[in-house]
Amino acid sequence: MKKIPWLKKSIGLLAATVLSVPLITTPASAYYGKAEISPAVTNLTTKSWVTFQAGNGDAGLAFDQDESTYWDAHSLSGSEENWLQVDLGGTYKGLRMVEVVFPSKNGKYKYTLEGSQDGENWFTLSDHASDPVLGGEDVLIQDKPAVRFIKATLLGVSDGAIPGITEIRANNYALKDHFSVGADISWDTGFLDRIHTTQNNTDAPSSDGRMISTMQETSMSEVRFRIWNDPRNEGDGQPVGFSDGSMNPEDTLNKSLYSKSLGMKVGLDFHYSDSWADPGKQIKPLAWKDLEFEELVKAIHDFTYKVTDDHVKAGAAPEFIQVGNEIINGTLWGNEKTATGSYPNYAKNDSSYFGKPGGELLWEYWNSEDPSEQAKYDAAWDRFTAIIDAGLRAVKEASPNSKTKIHVIVDANRLAKTQEFWRQLTTRLKNDYDNNFDIMSISYYPQWHGTMSDLGNYLHAFASEFPEYELAVSETSHFATPNSGPATGYPFTIQGQADFMKDVIRTCNDTINNSCKTMLVWEPVIWQSMFTRIGTSQYWQANDSTRVFTAAFSEFIQKNNEYLATTLYSEPRLPEKIEVLDVKNNRLKEAAVTWDSIPETAYSKLGSFTVNGTSEYGKVTAHVAVTIDVSVLEDLTKGFIETKDLSGPLVPQLTNALKQANHHDEKGSAKVASHFIKKYIASLQKNANEKHLSSEAQNTLIEHAELLLETWNR
């Protein structure tokens, strides 16, 4: 007797997995070092603020990131209850794909998928009420408004399929139209002796070698410049030149004009000091230190107005203007309390800097039950608010179209303090001055301000309590060189730098209502640099991590998954192309896919397996269900006839039984089809037919027929 080479004797109900080599993104050789950077995308159902509900059952099982669990619809007798819904907590414009996975990979599911902004008015994302899907689908969202609620309603399943949903993933993408990336590059004119480039040679720079133009070349679109009143040395208080001297108003205007010529947006950052201003030091400029408070407020207004007006008249109107720098503890400190001594040396040695009232906030009296201390707390807020109002008014008078920004920090575990800051400032500005600002912003440095998860929680808290304000991360950075400081959760490598920047972009982008619209890197060419010096030359080459400012944003979004079925022993026909959304043009197109080879063992047992593929837009996974139907028995029967293992009058008995079984199966009557498969088995078991049937053929055909019956009866 001849052996049948295509016949596999182990028919288990196991799943197989086909592995492939991961897709490697090779960076352009022009950048220094290497980093793998993929678009920033988040499954929003993983966020802590997302909630779920269902008409019946446990909705959370469809959002637990575990494909071994599923939301159980129990039955479809009352389909009006067979729905589940996710509330993302706010709207998302970057939600461009929803993945839906069903419990039975070989099951056909009728369902609808809808989106909504308010939970009452719904629009269709996917309609399979009549045309069922197999196993799951990726839904590309095109021509739809921002989404907050997603609702899936299960309408019907094929025989044997589990009624339910395994997972729903709501994928939020970083899109350039919704988010800007920029940097504070105030030292641009302070280091003109350095040549910055994105090329890997020192023959000529990629542009003119300036910091600003090189960062613009990496796709940064926004630049911020800090302004010191009259730049002075922190040590002795003497006027400075070189790098720190470039923070004066005149030099800032020149940098702004240059940036505008490159098509970049310009922002101004008033420190209201002659040197660095941050949470630990907010020192008055020398020219203002002896002013009475009312005179100080006027000086702030006039200085802010003049610098802003000079920009507008020169044709460099700012996109935004920041009134103060990291002012969580106030600004322009005065005689509000005993000096701590943690100031620049020139202020430590000159008590006149603290001789008159200023704008320091007295946090030590926050929530005090002592009436006198509470009065001091309130008075400090009154003075601080007057200072901020003066700056904001000056901006609006000089440049009405510029957005106004307030910039603070959130120390690790100190979110409540920053929330109190926003509540006090916004309330007092509105009530006392009929004034307001546009952007709430923070710095984020992980060594001081917590984890990336903390950053997401900060932004969510602000967006939830203050929905009328735009949000921004106004400073962030990460080292790319070893042994660069305390642990941050990211390695001090070029890859670590890229991963960090991408995650900040992702975290901002995942804030509800697309509230966070900007990320600014702090001095990416000087401090925690994104450049590497080439030998001992004056050339500084952009790290490969700077590609994040392009690579983190999606221009094309392709479906990640294809679901299909094949019958036992039949190699699946994988799709040659996969659907892709062209984000810029909001059009769907197709991309060719190259698939890994599939070993025969993968489709020689019931269950499911995956095949990995790639297109020019990334990875694709085909989820293949291996099923059994009458055609498998027909092919096996035909094969044994050809090898003479099956002959005589038994042949028409078996082929007629299979013909009838197939007819009734196609009509949807599994019960009648089962009757003919049982007749098929009975014919194989008759002693009279032994002479027309080899033992191998008998055992194999009975085994597969019983397997088919078992499948139908599930």
Side-chain angles (χ1 to χ4, degrees):
M1 182 181 72
K2 294 181 181 179
K3 298 292 183 184
I4 303 175
W6 42 266
L7 181 61
K8 309 300 175 186
K9 304 196 74 171
S10 76
I11 313 294
L13 296 176
L14 300 176
T17 300
V18 180
L19 302 178
S20 73
V21 178
L23 178 67
I24 303 296
T25 302
T26 304
S29 60
Y31 294 88
Y32 184 86
K34 292 184 178 180
E36 294 180 32
I37 308 171
S38 58
V41 57
T42 301
N43 173 15
L44 292 172
T45 66
T46 63
K47 295 297 184 180
S48 62
W49 54 79
V50 172
T51 57
F52 321 102
Q53 60 177 313
N56 61 56
D58 184 354
L61 292 173
F63 305 96
D64 60 1
Q65 324 313 313
D66 183 355
E67 291 202 14
S68 67
T69 66
Y70 61 90
W71 163 68
D72 188 353
H74 302 299
S75 71
L76 293 175
S77 58
S79 60
E80 67 276 2
E81 296 181 356
N82 287 320
W83 57 266
L84 58 82
Q85 181 175 305
V86 56
D87 178 359
L88 300 175
T91 59
Y92 288 89
K93 295 179 181 177
L95 188 66
R96 287 292 188 271
M97 182 167 66
V98 177
E99 299 176 50
V100 183
V101 184
F102 294 105
S104 300
K105 292 295 186 291
N106 62 343
K108 293 182 179 180
Y109 291 81
K110 292 181 178 180
Y111 88 113
T112 59
L113 189 71
E114 299 172 286
S116 174
Q117 291 186 333
D118 56 12
E120 296 181 2
N121 300 291
W122 297 88
F123 46 84
T124 300
L125 298 177
S126 182
D127 185 355
H128 286 279
S130 301
D131 179 25
V133 297
L134 178 74
E137 69 166 339
D138 287 356
V139 180
L140 293 175
I141 299 177
Q142 179 190 21
D143 295 325
K144 301 295 182 185
V147 176
R148 171 171 177 168
F149 297 90
I150 300 172
K151 182 179 182 179
T153 304
L154 194 59
L155 303 173
V157 300
S158 58
D159 289 342
I162 299 172
I165 296 178
T166 296
E167 285 294 317
I168 293 181
R169 304 184 186 101
N171 296 310
N172 187 45
Y173 291 82
L175 304 177
K176 274 288 188 182
D177 287 348
H178 305 152
F179 197 84
S180 296
V181 177
D184 188 311
I185 322 180
S186 300
W187 269 319
D188 172 78
T189 48
F191 290 91
L192 291 177
D193 56 331
R194 296 186 180 186
I195 300 172
H196 299 87
T197 181
T198 58
Q199 293 181 355
N200 56 357
N201 61 68
T202 56
D203 295 333
S206 51
S207 57
D208 60 9
R210 286 181 63 168
M211 296 178 183
I212 295 171
S213 60
T214 307
M215 293 313 301
Q216 189 266 350
E217 194 178 351
T218 68
S219 290
M220 278 193 170
S221 60
E222 196 162 314
V223 58
R224 183 187 78 165
F225 300 125
R226 57 187 172 271
I227 298 172
W228 296 354
N229 291 45
D230 186 13
R232 297 180 183 277
N233 183 283
E234 280 200 313
D236 57 18
Q238 295 301 307
V240 293
F242 188 51
S243 58
D244 287 351
S246 63
M247 266 67 89
N248 68 68
E250 295 75 23
D251 192 76
T252 297
L253 177 55
N254 290 330
K255 287 179 291 196
S256 296
L257 287 167
Y258 174 72
S259 301
K260 285 283 188 177
S261 73
L262 298 174
M264 302 184 82
K265 299 176 183 177
V266 169
L268 302 182
D269 174 14
F270 285 96
H271 280 224
Y272 298 124
S273 181
D274 292 338
S275 62
W276 300 101
D278 58 45
K281 51 182 182 293
Q282 297 277 339
I283 307 305
K284 296 176 183 178
L286 177 64
W288 297 356
K289 68 183 181 67
D290 297 320
L291 296 179
E292 296 295 342
F293 186 75
E294 292 75 12
E295 296 173 317
L296 178 64
V297 170
K298 184 176 186 304
I300 292 162
H301 173 277
D302 293 350
F303 179 73
T304 306
Y305 181 90
K306 183 179 188 311
V307 173
T308 304
D309 187 54
D310 287 347
H311 272 69
V312 172
K313 288 178 178 176
E319 176 76 11
F320 71 86
I321 296 176
Q322 190 174 302
V323 178
N325 185 75
E326 295 186 329
I327 53 176
I328 188 67
N329 295 321
T331 187
L332 294 155
W333 294 346
N335 63 2
E336 294 81 39
K337 67 175 183 179
T338 303
T340 64
S342 58
Y343 313 120
N345 281 335
Y346 67 80
K348 288 181 185 178
N349 301 326
D350 187 347
S351 61
S352 66
Y353 276 92
F354 307 98
K356 300 292 183 180
E360 184 169 11
L361 295 174
L362 305 183
W363 286 108
E364 61 268 42
Y365 300 143
W366 177 29
N367 288 329
S368 173
E369 295 182 2
D370 183 324
S372 64
E373 291 181 345
Q374 187 61 47
K376 291 178 182 178
Y377 180 75
D378 289 335
W381 267 107
D382 288 340
R383 289 190 297 272
F384 174 74
T385 307
I387 287 172
I388 299 304
D389 170 70
L392 295 174
R393 281 190 292 105
V395 171
K396 291 303 181 184
E397 291 167 8
S399 185
N401 293 326
S402 296
K403 292 183 179 180
T404 49
K405 177 189 288 190
I406 302 298
H407 176 205
V408 298
I409 65 165
V410 186
D411 274 325
N413 303 314
R414 298 298 300 274
L415 175 60
K417 175 181 176 179
T418 306
Q419 291 286 78
E420 167 72 357
F421 177 95
W422 293 131
R423 292 181 193 122
Q424 288 282 352
L425 180 61
T426 56
T427 301
R428 290 169 181 271
L429 279 173
K430 292 174 185 177
N431 292 346
D432 298 343
Y433 296 97
D434 191 25
N435 203 351
N436 207 343
F437 57 95
D438 301 304
I439 306 171
M440 291 180 170
S441 75
I442 60 174
S443 294
Y444 175 64
Y445 299 100
Q447 56 268 53
W448 300 305
H449 304 143
T451 65
M452 195 65 65
S453 178
D454 290 333
L455 173 62
N457 291 333
Y458 303 156
L459 294 171
H460 179 72
F462 302 154
S464 299
E465 184 171 354
F466 307 101
E468 68 270 35
Y469 293 90
E470 182 180 324
L471 304 180
V473 173
S474 285
E475 290 184 23
T476 192
S477 62
H478 196 271
F479 283 114
T481 53
N483 304 316
S484 295
T488 64
Y490 295 82
F492 294 118
T493 63
I494 290 175
Q495 182 67 59
Q497 188 176 64
D499 291 343
F500 174 83
M501 292 298 178
K502 174 182 166 180
D503 282 350
V504 175
I505 292 172
R506 184 207 310 272
T507 302
C508 291
N509 188 62
D510 289 341
T511 307
I512 60 171
N513 304 321
N514 293 97
S515 299
C516 187
K517 299 183 183 300
T518 308
M519 180 193 82
L520 300 179
V521 183
W522 198 79
E523 288 294 356
V525 286
I526 296 296
W527 194 72
Q528 299 199 11
S529 179
M530 302 186 78
F531 284 73
T532 298
R533 189 176 188 177
I534 308 303
T536 59
S537 72
Q538 289 303 101
Y539 277 74
W540 295 73
Q541 186 179 342
N543 292 344
D544 195 41
S545 52
T546 59
R547 288 192 305 107
V548 74
F549 307 124
T550 297
F553 295 90
S554 293
E555 296 181 9
F556 298 93
I557 299 171
Q558 73 168 14
K559 290 185 175 181
N560 298 326
N561 303 281
E562 285 284 352
Y563 295 85
L564 61 150
T566 189
T567 54
L568 196 61
Y569 310 128
S570 298
E571 183 175 358
R573 297 181 62 181
L574 300 176
E576 296 181 355
K577 296 180 179 180
I578 191 139
E579 200 168 43
V580 177
L581 174 63
D582 179 340
V583 175
K584 182 177 180 180
N585 297 309
N586 202 25
R587 295 177 182 173
L588 294 175
K589 65 176 193 172
E590 292 184 320
V593 181
T594 301
W595 297 100
D596 290 351
S597 60
I598 309 173
E600 284 186 79
T601 54
Y603 48 87
S604 296
K605 48 191 170 185
L606 295 184
S608 63
F609 64 93
T610 59
V611 187
N612 291 334
T614 59
S615 79
E616 63 178 299
Y617 301 109
K619 299 178 183 179
V620 189
T621 301
H623 303 263
V624 184
V626 183
T627 64
I628 186 170
D629 59 19
V630 177
S631 69
V632 175
L633 285 177
E634 290 175 332
D635 290 342
L636 288 171
T637 302
K638 181 179 179 182
F640 282 121
I641 293 172
E642 292 175 352
T643 60
K644 310 300 184 184
D645 288 282
L646 178 61
S647 60
L650 183 57
V651 171
Q653 294 176 33
L654 298 180
T655 54
N656 286 336
L658 292 178
K659 182 178 180 181
Q660 290 297 321
N662 189 55
H663 170 72
H664 289 286
D665 182 39
E666 289 180 346
K667 288 177 61 178
S669 179
K671 182 176 181 180
V672 178
S674 296
H675 168 73
F676 286 100
I677 295 300
K678 291 175 182 177
K679 288 185 64 175
Y680 176 89
I681 294 173
S683 297
L684 290 169
Q685 292 174 331
K686 285 182 180 179
N687 292 334
N689 287 329
E690 286 185 353
K691 61 183 177 180
H692 302 299
L693 182 67
S694 71
S695 60
E696 181 178 0
Q698 183 185 45
N699 292 336
T700 299
L701 293 176
I702 290 175
E703 180 182 5
H704 284 76
E706 290 177 342
L707 192 60
L708 177 58
L709 287 176
E710 181 183 343
T711 301
W712 280 346
N713 291 331
R714 282 198 203 113

